[in-house]
Each structure stands twice: as C-alpha cells, then as structure tokens.
C-alpha cells in the first residue's frame, strides 16, 4: 500500500570542510508515498548489529540532529538523522512530512519537538506513522566511520569529522544529490 523509493549514496568528503574527512560514509534516504488505503506497519532501522565486546556508545545529538557515537579502541562510528524539530519544520512546510503531523510532532509541555525516530542501544528505529492515501513522507540515516585520531600534543583532541558527516538535513541532501 506504499510506494517506497530508497536512495543509497556516499557522503562525499568534498561536502565537508577542508580539514574534515571520513574513511567511510554512507547514507540512505527513504521517500514513501501512500498509494492504497490498506494499513501497513512500516519501520526503518539503522543499527550496529551484534557489536563486539569492547564497543562503547553515547548520544551525540546536536541542533537538528539525533546522533549516536559508537567506538572501540581503534575506530569510531556515528549514525545520524534529522531530529523532531526538523520533522516539525518539514511538517509546517509540507516538505515530505504531512502538515497534519504538526500537532503530533509539537509538544509544548516538553518544550521540544517529538520525533518518529527512537534511539536504540546501537542505532535508531523510525516508526513510519500511518499515512493517508496520497501523502508523502521522508526519512534518512547517515553513517560515517574513521580510525580514532590522536594528537600527542593535545590529549583532549577529538576528531569530529564523522559527526559532521552525519549532520545533514533533507534540504541540504536534496541540493547535493539532485
């Protein structure tokens, strides 16, 4: 009952600032359109499956970004997606987020926007809300990894190249991928 278009791509180091680069990066964009009245439950996942012992994790979100960082002794990996505030903004504009979701995504009591995406232990899960026939919705996940870079002169140094590589909005990806 849905038409689903998946766009896979690499996040180009050319998109990042000159001093940032990632060894590996990938992205997946889902464009979903409801084409029949039947109900279906759709869920998107982006997660590290069967992490090895010694893999740590922490939240790494920022403005308009839900992200998680995973790392071991040698590498780190970020997974990122748009947060609820951007979903709300897209609903207001009817930009692949139906306007009727504005009420669902805004929550004045919490003082922040709700999201259809949830954190999991090692990634994210997006529950696609029930769409009406003809409605369109969009979600993406970005993943980037690098060896952990150490600066012997600055023990507090953290390379954030991969964090920046997963911090992209739909509108920006639309420009780079069109």
């Amino acid at each position: 009952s849905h038409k689903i278009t998946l766009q896979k791509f690499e996040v180009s180091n050319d998109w990042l600032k000159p001093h940032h680069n990632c060894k590996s990066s990938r992205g997946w964009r889902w464009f979903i359109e409801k084409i029949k009245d039947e109900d279906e439950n759709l869920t998107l996942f982006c997660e590290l499956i069967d992490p090895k012992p010694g893999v740590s994790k922490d939240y790494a979100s920022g403005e308009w970004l839900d992200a998680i960082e995973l790392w071991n002794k040698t590498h780190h990996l970020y997974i990122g997606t748009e947060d609820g505030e951007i979903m709300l903004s897209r609903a207001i504009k009817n930009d692949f987020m139906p306007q009727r979701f504005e009420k669902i995504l805004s929550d004045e009591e919490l003082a922040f926007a709700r999201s259809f995406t949830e954190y999991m232990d090692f990634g994210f899960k997006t529950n696609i809300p029930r769409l009406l026939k003809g409605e369109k919705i969009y979600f993406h996940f970005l993943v980037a990894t690098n060896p952990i870079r150490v600066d012997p002169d600055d023990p507090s140094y953290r390379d954030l190249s991969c964090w920046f590589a997963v911090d992209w909005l739909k509108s920006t990806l639309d420009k780079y991928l069109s």
Side-chain angles (χ1 to χ4, degrees):
S1 65
H2 295 81
K3 176 184 174 188
I4 301 172
T5 303
L6 172 61
Q7 181 182 35
K8 299 186 315 184
F9 59 96
E10 288 188 30
V11 177
S12 173
N13 282 322
D14 295 343
W15 301 357
L16 302 173
K17 294 181 180 179
H19 57 284
H20 292 142
N21 60 69
C22 295
K23 180 179 178 182
S24 176
S25 59
R26 298 278 183 279
W28 300 268
R29 294 173 15 124
W30 285 270
F31 297 86
I32 301 169
E33 179 181 3
K34 181 75 169 185
I35 58 172
K36 294 182 182 174
D37 289 325
E38 291 91 34
D39 284 339
E40 285 184 298
N41 293 319
L42 301 177
T43 306
L44 306 173
F45 292 90
C46 188
E47 64 182 317
L48 180 63
I49 299 172
D50 296 327
K52 303 288 185 232
V55 173
S56 299
K57 63 184 185 290
D58 200 1
Y59 300 109
S61 297
E63 187 175 19
W64 305 332
L65 171 70
D66 280 339
I68 189 168
E69 179 185 15
L70 309 168
W71 70 92
N72 62 17
K73 291 180 181 180
T74 61
H75 287 78
H76 61 162
L77 177 137
Y78 285 86
I79 303 172
T81 191
E82 293 179 324
D83 70 4
E85 188 176 358
I86 288 300
M87 289 181 197
L88 173 58
S89 171
R90 289 196 298 109
I92 292 167
K93 297 175 193 171
N94 198 29
D95 179 14
F96 271 87
M97 182 67 63
Q99 284 183 321
R100 68 184 176 88
F101 292 145
E102 180 180 348
K103 290 181 180 134
I104 295 169
L105 293 166
S106 61
D107 191 328
E108 294 176 14
E109 289 180 25
L110 293 176
F112 62 86
R114 294 186 184 272
S115 177
F116 295 117
T117 301
E118 301 172 23
Y119 283 90
M120 297 173 44
D121 278 345
F122 291 92
F124 291 101
K125 167 175 99 168
T126 300
N127 296 306
I128 308 303
R130 296 219 187 277
L131 299 173
L132 303 176
K133 189 174 177 181
E135 287 183 327
K136 297 176 182 180
I137 201 163
Y138 163 95
F139 297 98
H140 72 244
F141 292 115
L142 304 171
V143 176
T145 187
N146 257 343
I148 293 176
R149 298 181 184 142
V150 187
D151 184 344
D153 298 327
D154 182 0
S156 66
Y157 172 77
R158 288 199 60 198
D159 177 24
L160 296 176
S161 297
C162 291
W163 185 82
F164 286 108
V166 303
D167 186 16
W168 295 92
L169 302 177
K170 175 192 176 290
S171 58
T172 308
L173 291 171
D174 286 347
K175 291 175 189 172
Y176 278 108
L177 297 168
S178 61

